Amino acid sequence: MGGNGWAVGVDLGGTQVRAALVDASGQVLARAAARTDAVGGPGAVLQQIQQLVAETTQGIAPSVLGGVGVSAPGPLDGEAGVILGIPTLSGWVNVPIVAWLQEALALPVRLENDGVAAAIGEWRFGAGRGLSDFVYVTVSTGIGGGVIADGRVLRGRGRLAGHIGHMTIDPQAEVCSCGNPGCWEALASGTALGQYARQQAALAPTSHLAAFGAALDAKQVVASARAGDALALELLEREARLLGIGIVNLLHLYSPELVVVGGGVSQGFDLLHPGIAQHVARRALPPFRGTPVVAAQLGQNSGLVGAASLILLPG
């Protein structure tokens, strides 16, 4: 680790690539972001990562940096440092991202699934601090997550545990990007919320949402719900139901002390929480009903801080 205990966290997402300089207390000292060059493929995105790392560490000697932690959608092999395949990004198959970045940056690099990295961030520095058992759910371009069980990160065979977005919620529903019908991600991710909102807004010309047309997304649904738009409120009611169903599954599987919800859609968590709590109370077995569901304390920084934690607090 560098003398000052600093590391860079990188979050590779389907929409954005982000980087942050993080200190040993989990504080974000600098941030930078760019829209993911999905068309350019892995080579172009790796150049983006180099640029973002340079921006966040400008004026800092490499000798004081412990390294770079990268969080990315899976499936991936964290031990080998290889991204096996990202359904939401074309061309990302068997990409040796750690080897490439270590050569380009001349720094140690570690790789982790994005949901697991965010769970680690919330465990070390956020809402899950001091807990032995909790589940993190990120609701963004897709749905991912991570599980802390018995005081350690649950990794599973091949370090592939935690692909919670690919639980089947409704086998008769939309086909997920992974090819399976009815995944939680296909129904309740930010992308799915935006798609469903566009369909419904086309049928409701008096709604505020109709004015956005093809540009309507989950963020605008939340903003319109805050303004009292009836359709937007209905859409968030449906979203809360879908999230609640998935969270009940997680409660029954892992018996956590807490469920933490992050990602872009969590910006509307205060509007979603009553519906989520209602469905947990209705559907969960009695011993699980009192489990709190809370918003990520680190907000949009959970994954960045968690990625940096791979360097700052290895293990």
Side-chain angles (χ1 to χ4, degrees):
M1 192 188 297
N4 288 351
W6 292 346
V8 177
V10 172
D11 182 48
L12 168 57
T15 306
Q16 277 195 326
V17 191
R18 302 179 301 145
L21 179 65
V22 181
D23 69 16
S25 67
Q27 294 298 307
V28 173
L29 307 177
R31 278 180 50 132
R35 187 167 186 82
T36 307
D37 187 353
V39 176
V45 176
L46 288 165
Q47 287 187 332
Q48 287 184 299
I49 291 173
Q50 285 179 251
Q51 177 61 34
L52 294 172
V53 170
E55 285 180 36
T56 54
T57 59
Q58 192 171 6
I60 294 170
S63 59
V64 303
L65 286 174
V68 177
V70 178
S71 81
L76 54 80
D77 185 334
E79 288 186 11
V82 176
I83 292 177
L84 302 176
I86 301 177
T88 53
L89 288 174
S90 62
W92 282 81
V93 178
N94 296 325
V95 176
I97 187 170
V98 167
W100 289 1
L101 285 177
Q102 283 184 162
E103 184 176 352
L105 300 172
L107 286 167
V109 178
R110 291 189 65 188
L111 174 67
E112 185 59 88
N113 173 273
D114 53 2
V116 175
I120 292 170
E122 289 292 329
W123 183 33
R124 298 298 196 185
F125 299 111
R129 243 179 317 196
L131 299 182
S132 295
D133 297 270
F134 86 98
V135 177
Y136 175 85
V137 180
T138 181
V139 187
S140 190
T141 305
I143 290 183
V147 180
I148 308 300
D150 298 329
R152 59 192 177 87
V153 181
L154 184 66
R155 298 194 185 276
R157 180 186 62 82
R159 298 165 65 102
L160 291 168
H163 282 77
I164 60 175
H166 297 288
M167 295 186 293
T168 299
I169 298 296
D170 180 355
Q172 308 303 319
E174 291 84 353
V175 175
C176 182
S177 60
C178 75
N180 183 53
C183 285
W184 197 20
E185 175 173 301
L187 292 170
S189 66
T191 304
L193 174 57
Q195 288 173 342
Y196 188 71
R198 289 190 291 275
Q199 292 172 11
Q200 296 305 302
L203 303 173
T206 59
S207 168
H208 295 162
L209 299 180
F212 292 105
L216 178 59
D217 61 16
K219 185 176 180 181
Q220 289 149 352
V221 173
V222 171
S224 295
R226 292 199 189 285
D229 182 79
L231 176 58
L233 289 166
E234 283 180 28
L235 291 168
L236 289 192
E237 187 177 332
R238 175 182 180 269
E239 177 74 7
R241 176 175 61 83
L242 293 167
L243 290 176
I245 290 169
I247 287 169
V248 168
N249 289 343
L250 298 175
L251 294 178
H252 290 158
L253 279 169
Y254 300 114
S255 189
E257 300 166 77
L258 185 72
V259 176
V260 179
V261 179
V265 175
S266 70
Q267 293 178 14
F269 183 79
D270 57 315
L271 299 175
L272 293 164
H273 183 260
I276 291 171
Q278 180 184 44
H279 285 281
V280 169
R282 180 184 302 167
R283 298 169 186 270
L285 291 168
F288 301 94
R289 289 176 189 164
T291 307
V293 181
V294 304
Q297 202 173 92
L298 301 178
Q300 298 304 298
N301 290 332
S302 300
L304 292 168
V305 172
S309 297
L310 300 174
I311 302 293
L312 297 169
L313 299 165

